[in-house]
Amino acid sequence: MRRLLMVVAMCLLASPAVAQPRPAEPPPTLTPVIVESPRLAPERRQTEEQAREELQRVPGGVDLIPQKTIEESRAGNLKDVLDFTPGVMIRPRFGAADESQLSIRGSGLRDNFHLRGVNVLLDGFVYGQADGFSDFESLELLATKRIEVYKGANALRFGGFTLGGAINLVTKTGYDEGLLGIRSEAGSFGFLKNHVATGQVYGPFDLYASYTDTELQGYREHSDQIRHRFYASLGYALGGGTTVRFDVSQVHNDENLPGALTRNEFAVDPRKADPASVATRNARRYDYTRGALTLRMPLGETSAFEWRAQLDYQDLDHPLSFAVIDQTTYNWGMEGRYLQNAPVFGLASRFTAGIQYFETQQNDVQFVNILGRRTQTKLHSQINQALNLGAYAEEQLDVLPALTAVAGARAQYSRRDIRDKFLADGNQSGDIDYFAFVPRFGVIGRVSKDVQVYTNASYAYEPPLVLELTAPGNLLTRNLDLLKAQKAWQFEIGTRGRAFDRVAWDVAVYDIELWDEIQNVNVLPFPGAFFTLPRFRNIQRSRHMGVEAGADVVLARDLLPRFAGATTGDALTARAAYTWSRFVFVNDVNFANNDIPGAPRHFLRAELRYDHGSGFWIAPNVELVPQGYFVNSQNANRTSPYELGGLRMGYDVKPWNLSLFFEARNLANVAYASSVQVDNAAGRFIEPGDGRAFYGGVAWRWK
C-alpha cells in the first residue's frame, strides 16, 4: 500500500499543463471492417480499427479483444478476457489465479503445468523461454490496451510456427492513459486488486507507468497468492518518423499451489488441497525483470524497418513434492523486421520479412524437500540452454479486386543443450539440433464489402522443450535421441463478416494432421508414491478437428426512453462463442483411436447484454460443458458435465470519467473441474473451479 500511495503522489505532482493534448480515443468497433488504409502505422500507436483491418488480412481464425472489453472484466487472468474467443481454451488451475491450462486447437494438451504450444507475445516480443516454455504470472491485463489472437498456424506475422498460434498483448503507451488512472476491486475468496497508472505526452516524448498489487486467499486450501507488477514505457519520436521505445517491467510473485484432487476427494470437498502439496508446502516464488527496446524507421512512404531487442531475468524458488527447484533463467533475443506496402505489377501488395534470434540459459538445481524445507542435499544440477534462429517472409497480394492470395514460409533452426553438473562423469550431458522449413498458403475472398471467406493450408513444427528432454520421469535417462519434434499440417476454411448492421459472425472449420505429437504421461517414481513425475513420449499419428463459431447479434434498439443525460438510445445484444473439438489418436499402438484427453468436446459461452445510453449496462451469461471429457489416454475416466450461470453489470459516469462494475459467478455454486491433470498415474486429475463468487470495483481516470 505504501508503494501504491507513493505512485499516486508522484502522479498528482506531475503538471498536466505542459503535456500535449492527446488524441481522442476512437469509437469502439464491434464488427470487422475491410478498408485499404496504410499498413505502416506503428503497431503500438494503431487505433483499434486499424488493428482490426490488419487482422482481416489473415486467411484464418483471428480475434481482437479491445481495451473496453478488458476494462469491463475482472481482468484477473486470461480467462476473464478470452472466454468469447472460439477455439481458445483457457482454464485456470486455481480459481482466480493466473496459472492456467491454455490450448488453441488442441495445442499443449500435455500441459499439466505452465504453458507450451502457444506463442505468448508482449508487443511482438516472445514472452518466456526460447524453447517455448512459459508461464502467466508476469502478464498484467490492466497495462494492456488490446489482445490479438492468431489461432493455429496463422501466426506467421510474428514468425510463429507452433501448433497453437500466438496471443499478442499490445501494452499501453503514454498516448493511452490519462494523467492519473486508478482502479480498485475486491471480491470473494480474498480477491483484492489495486492498480494505478499515469500516461503523458511531452513534445516528442511519451511516458506510461503503472503499478498493480493483487492478492488472493483462494477458494481452495493452500492457494493464497500475491503479485506486485510494475510496468513502464518511454517513447521518443525522432525526425522523419523514426521512433524509439524502451519498455521495462518488474514482477514479484509468491503463490502457494494446492495441487490436484482425486475424484473421491473432489466429491467430498472440492476446497481441499492435495495433502502432499500441503505437507511439502508446494509453492512458486520468483522475481522477474524485463527490458525491451524497439527502433522503427520509415524507409520511404511505403516501407519501414523495425529492430527490437529484449533481455529478461527470473530468479525462481519452487518447492514441489519431489524436490525444491532453484533456477535462475536469462532470456535474450533480437529481431529485424521489414514491412512494405507498395504495388507489385499494379496489384496491391503487403510484404513482411524478418529474422529472429532468441536464446535462453538456465541454471537448474534441485534439492531434497523435507516438509517444505530445502535441505543441502542436491538431487539434480545442470545448465540448460535453448537457441532459436528463424527467418520468415509473407506476401499478401490482391490478385483480383475481391481476392487476396497469401503465401509465406519460415526457416527454423533450434538447439537444445544440457550440461550435467551433478554426476562426476557428466554422462547426462548432451545436445541436439532441429531444423524445419514451415510453409503457409491461403486465400481471402470478399463476397461483399463486409463479408469474407477464407482458406489456408499451413505447416507447424514444434521441437521439444528442454524440460521434456530432461523430465524427472525419465529416471536419469535423456530423451535427446528418443523424443522427436512435433509436426503438423493444418487445413482450414471459414467465413467472417457482418450483415444488416445487426449481425456479425466468425466461423472456422479445421483439420490438423499430426505426426509425433508430444504427450505427457505422469508416472509414479515407486509403488505407493504420493506424487508423480512427468515423462514425455511421441504419439506416432494423431488428428485434431474442430469447429469454431462466434456471433454477435443486435436484437433490438431504442427499447426505453432516453433519460439521465443519455444522448444515445439503448440496445439489447446477444453474443455466443461455441467450440466443437475432436482430438484423437490414429491407430496408436497403445491407445488405438481413443480421444486425446484434456479438452471438452463441446464448449459454449453465451451472454445477453442490455446497454443504455446513460452508461448503465447489465449482462447475464452462461458457460456450458454438456458432456464430460476424458482425463486419461485409456479413456477410462472423465470429468462431469456442468453449467455455470453468472451476471455482469456496470455504470459509466462519463462526465466524471468514473466506472463502477460488479460481477457474480457460478451463482448455483456448482462443483466442477476447471482444468485437469492428464494421464496422472496417482489418479489426481481434477483441479476444481471456484464456487459462488462476487466481485466489484471502481475505476477513475483523470485526463
Side-chain angles (χ1 to χ4, degrees):
M1 183 57 68
R2 235 185 347 255
R3 297 184 203 171
L4 186 63
L5 292 174
M6 287 174 62
V7 176
V8 172
M10 291 170 60
C11 295
L12 291 174
L13 290 173
S15 171
V18 297
Q20 288 187 349
R22 67 187 62 259
E25 293 184 2
T29 304
L30 300 179
T31 53
V33 179
I34 301 299
V35 180
E36 289 298 326
S37 62
R39 181 185 188 202
L40 299 179
E43 291 176 356
R44 301 281 288 277
R45 292 290 311 279
Q46 282 182 340
T47 66
E48 181 188 324
E49 182 178 1
Q50 288 173 324
R52 287 186 184 276
E53 291 173 17
E54 289 290 336
L55 288 175
Q56 302 312 303
R57 295 177 178 133
V58 176
V62 291
D63 197 8
L64 186 145
I65 292 86
Q67 183 176 337
K68 184 174 186 289
T69 298
I70 296 172
E71 294 179 346
E72 288 183 348
S73 75
R74 186 187 58 177
N77 55 37
L78 284 175
K79 179 176 171 62
D80 292 343
V81 296
L82 294 178
D83 253 353
F84 282 90
T85 301
V88 177
M89 187 182 76
I90 177 79
R91 316 276 290 177
R93 299 193 184 280
F94 313 126
D98 298 274
E99 169 70 6
S100 301
Q101 180 188 22
L102 173 59
S103 175
I104 299 179
R105 297 183 174 178
S107 68
L109 288 181
R110 64 190 187 276
D111 169 18
N112 283 335
F113 49 90
H114 308 322
L115 169 66
R116 63 206 76 173
V118 177
N119 289 322
V120 174
L121 309 165
L122 286 172
D123 305 309
F125 290 96
V126 175
Y127 166 75
Q129 299 176 18
D131 62 354
F133 193 50
S134 188
D135 56 31
F136 302 88
E137 288 87 349
S138 298
L139 304 174
E140 179 48 61
L141 293 174
L142 294 179
T144 303
K145 70 174 181 179
R146 69 174 181 270
I147 301 174
E148 301 166 347
V149 180
Y150 300 82
K151 305 174 194 175
N154 293 303
L156 190 62
R157 176 190 181 194
F158 292 110
F161 59 96
T162 59
L163 177 67
I167 297 176
N168 183 38
L169 281 70
V170 180
T171 59
K172 295 179 181 178
T173 69
Y175 294 90
D176 303 309
E177 186 63 69
L179 178 65
L180 178 63
I182 298 175
R183 173 169 165 141
S184 184
E185 52 188 309
S188 300
F189 317 123
F191 179 80
L192 179 65
K193 183 169 184 174
N194 292 301
H195 173 81
V196 60
T198 183
Q200 284 291 280
V201 180
Y202 299 94
F205 290 95
D206 73 271
L207 171 66
Y208 172 85
S210 70
Y211 173 76
T212 309
D213 173 78
T214 305
E215 299 182 16
L216 175 67
Q217 291 301 313
Y219 170 70
R220 297 179 61 198
E221 179 182 72
H222 197 66
S223 62
D224 50 304
Q225 309 192 9
I226 296 174
R227 311 257 194 279
H228 302 297
R229 299 182 180 121
F230 170 77
Y231 170 74
S233 181
L234 175 64
Y236 181 67
L238 300 167
T242 298
T243 59
V244 179
R245 182 165 299 280
F246 178 64
D247 299 306
V248 62
S249 58
Q250 202 282 327
V251 177
H252 173 73
N253 173 70
D254 190 342
E255 57 185 335
N256 286 325
L257 307 176
L261 301 179
T262 66
R263 177 173 288 278
N264 288 338
E265 290 171 339
F266 172 71
V268 172
D269 187 354
R271 303 192 67 165
K272 287 293 185 181
D274 173 3
S277 295
V278 177
T280 54
R281 300 179 185 177
N282 289 9
R284 191 165 188 265
R285 297 180 283 266
Y286 71 76
D287 289 292
Y288 169 86
T289 302
R290 173 182 179 265
L293 181 67
T294 304
L295 171 67
R296 191 177 193 281
M297 297 185 299
L299 302 176
E301 294 183 358
T302 61
S303 61
F305 174 75
E306 293 179 349
W307 177 84
R308 59 186 71 191
Q310 71 168 343
L311 169 66
D312 65 67
Y313 164 78
Q314 184 186 74
D315 186 3
L316 174 69
D317 175 35
H318 195 3
L320 292 172
S321 298
F322 63 88
V324 176
I325 300 175
D326 185 343
Q327 292 176 344
T328 55
T329 304
Y330 299 85
N331 302 295
W332 63 92
M334 292 186 293
E335 179 178 7
R337 189 167 174 231
Y338 174 74
L339 305 151
Q340 187 178 58
N341 186 6
V344 174
F345 302 117
L347 303 176
S349 167
R350 291 163 296 277
F351 177 73
T352 303
I355 298 176
Q356 291 177 325
Y357 157 73
F358 195 31
E359 190 164 356
T360 294
Q361 177 164 309
Q362 181 180 80
N363 300 316
D364 181 12
V365 184
Q366 297 178 14
F367 299 89
V368 171
N369 181 354
I370 299 180
L371 299 179
R373 182 175 59 86
R374 176 192 303 202
T375 68
Q376 296 303 311
T377 305
K378 289 184 181 180
L379 293 171
H380 167 102
S381 179
Q382 66 187 35
I383 296 176
N384 303 322
Q385 292 179 303
L387 170 69
N388 277 346
L389 290 174
Y392 63 93
E394 182 180 75
E395 167 67 23
Q396 301 173 353
L397 185 67
D398 292 349
V399 294
L400 295 172
L403 186 68
T404 299
V406 179
R410 177 184 175 97
Q412 170 75 25
Y413 168 75
S414 302
R415 183 178 178 85
R416 309 288 184 256
D417 196 327
I418 296 95
R419 292 291 171 258
D420 180 34
K421 299 296 183 182
F422 183 61
L423 298 176
D425 58 3
N427 67 359
Q428 296 302 303
S429 299
D431 58 70
I432 189 168
D433 300 309
Y434 304 89
F435 179 80
F437 179 74
V438 183
R440 179 169 185 264
F441 309 95
V443 175
I444 303 173
R446 286 173 285 279
V447 178
S448 67
K449 176 177 176 293
D450 296 321
V451 178
Q452 290 184 347
V453 293
Y454 57 80
T455 186
N456 75 72
S458 307
Y459 192 63
Y461 182 85
E462 189 176 333
L465 309 181
V466 170
L467 166 70
E468 294 166 346
L469 295 171
T470 64
N474 299 337
L475 303 179
L476 295 181
T477 62
R478 293 297 187 238
N479 266 349
L480 295 183
D481 298 321
L482 300 177
L483 195 62
K484 303 175 185 177
Q486 175 177 292
K487 285 84 67 177
W489 270 101
Q490 170 188 277
F491 305 95
E492 180 180 6
I493 186 170
T495 177
R496 57 184 168 232
R498 63 176 184 175
F500 312 114
D501 197 29
R502 282 184 177 268
V503 180
W505 70 89
D506 194 337
V507 179
V509 180
Y510 66 86
D511 172 59
I512 305 175
E513 300 294 323
L514 293 101
W515 290 263
D516 299 318
E517 181 173 2
I518 298 173
Q519 179 189 22
N520 177 13
V521 180
N522 284 349
V523 299
L524 292 172
F526 52 85
F530 58 90
F531 61 88
T532 61
L533 298 175
R535 175 185 289 178
F536 297 89
R537 65 177 284 267
N538 290 113
I539 304 170
Q540 185 174 5
R541 279 283 287 118
S542 53
R543 178 175 295 119
H544 294 194
M545 298 179 292
V547 177
E548 303 160 350
D552 293 68
V553 181
V554 179
L555 300 175
R557 295 190 179 100
D558 296 321
L559 296 171
L560 297 177
R562 302 176 188 181
F563 59 88
T567 58
T568 59
D570 59 358
L572 181 66
T573 60
R575 64 171 175 163
Y578 169 71
T579 302
W580 176 81
S581 308
R582 186 157 186 245
F583 312 137
V584 295
F585 297 91
V586 176
N587 299 323
D588 188 75
V589 64
N590 296 306
F591 306 113
N593 297 305
N594 284 359
D595 284 3
I596 296 173
R601 183 72 59 90
H602 305 274
F603 182 76
L604 174 68
R605 285 279 296 179
E607 181 177 78
L608 183 67
R609 174 163 170 153
Y610 173 77
D611 286 90
H612 193 270
S614 63
F616 171 78
W617 59 274
I618 184 169
N621 57 74
V622 64
E623 176 177 313
L624 176 63
V625 175
Q627 180 182 15
Y629 54 96
F630 293 112
V631 297
N632 57 4
S633 298
Q634 295 86 354
N635 289 182
N637 202 336
R638 67 163 74 219
T639 66
S640 299
Y642 68 83
E643 298 177 10
L644 305 179
L647 176 71
R648 301 188 306 127
M649 60 190 301
Y651 182 54
D652 297 326
V653 188
K654 297 176 183 178
W656 297 353
N657 293 320
L658 180 70
S659 297
L660 307 172
F661 49 92
F662 168 81
E663 182 170 1
R665 298 188 173 194
N666 193 4
L667 287 170
N669 200 29
V670 174
Y672 70 103
S674 175
S675 63
V676 296
Q677 295 272 333
V678 298
D679 285 319
N680 188 298
R684 296 194 168 276
F685 300 116
I686 298 176
E687 292 167 324
D690 282 356
R692 183 186 296 112
F694 302 94
Y695 303 92
V698 58
W700 175 72
R701 180 174 285 127
W702 178 24
K703 295 189 176 183

